[in-house]
Amino acid sequence: MTTVLVVEDTPSEMALITSFLKDSGYTVIAATDAKEALEKVTQYKPDVVVTDVVMPGMSGFELCRSLKKNPETEKLPIVVCTSKNQELDRLWAMKQGADAYVTKPFNRDDLVRALKSVVV
């Protein structure tokens, strides 16, 4: 079973993403900010990370950079899930190391398709 670390600071968004993923057969680990996410990546070794961009403290883009520059996590797939829907945001996310990009609002199929595209 694929384990997904979801990094989201908005409780309603966290609940929605978690529900979609669990209903689709994924195991979900939750983190409410990037600092907690870095700790949980080390602790749980998830198969993929789904992260918001705009969060207090470290942004999702900074989380991407941090994970991709660490030899232990550089191959970890990252799906950015954000309300930032400009093409420039998408390009910047990919430049930071994101492997897929989903914009809010999204549906379950959008999210699952993005995960399947990055998890082999």
Side-chain angles (χ1 to χ4, degrees):
M1 190 177 284
T2 303
T3 300
V4 182
L5 173 61
V6 177
V7 190
E8 173 62 64
D9 63 320
T10 306
S12 59
E13 293 285 343
M14 175 66 85
L16 182 67
I17 294 168
T18 299
S19 164
F20 283 168
L21 294 177
K22 285 184 174 178
D23 289 351
S24 301
Y26 294 94
T27 300
V28 177
I29 300 165
T32 56
D33 62 39
K35 184 175 179 290
E36 182 185 0
L38 290 171
E39 293 166 5
K40 289 195 172 179
V41 162
T42 304
Q43 185 178 357
Y44 295 104
K45 311 270 190 268
D47 300 300
V48 60
V49 173
V50 174
T51 185
D52 188 14
V53 171
V54 181
M55 298 182 288
M58 183 188 291
S59 75
F61 291 149
E62 291 171 292
L63 175 62
C64 274
R65 281 196 303 269
S66 181
L67 290 169
K68 293 301 182 173
K69 74 180 182 189
N70 180 339
E72 290 181 26
T73 56
E74 65 186 0
K75 302 267 189 258
L76 181 62
I78 300 171
V79 176
V80 169
C81 185
T82 181
S83 56
K84 296 174 80 58
N85 62 1
Q86 301 298 308
E87 189 58 27
L88 187 59
D89 299 318
R90 181 184 300 272
L91 291 171
W92 185 246
M94 297 307 176
K95 196 164 179 62
Q96 304 312 302
D99 299 286
Y101 196 90
V102 177
T103 55
K104 298 173 186 175
F106 56 89
N107 61 38
R108 188 171 88 172
D109 290 343
D110 295 334
L111 188 59
V112 171
R113 193 173 319 116
L115 281 173
K116 287 183 175 175
S117 76
V118 299
V119 178
V120 278

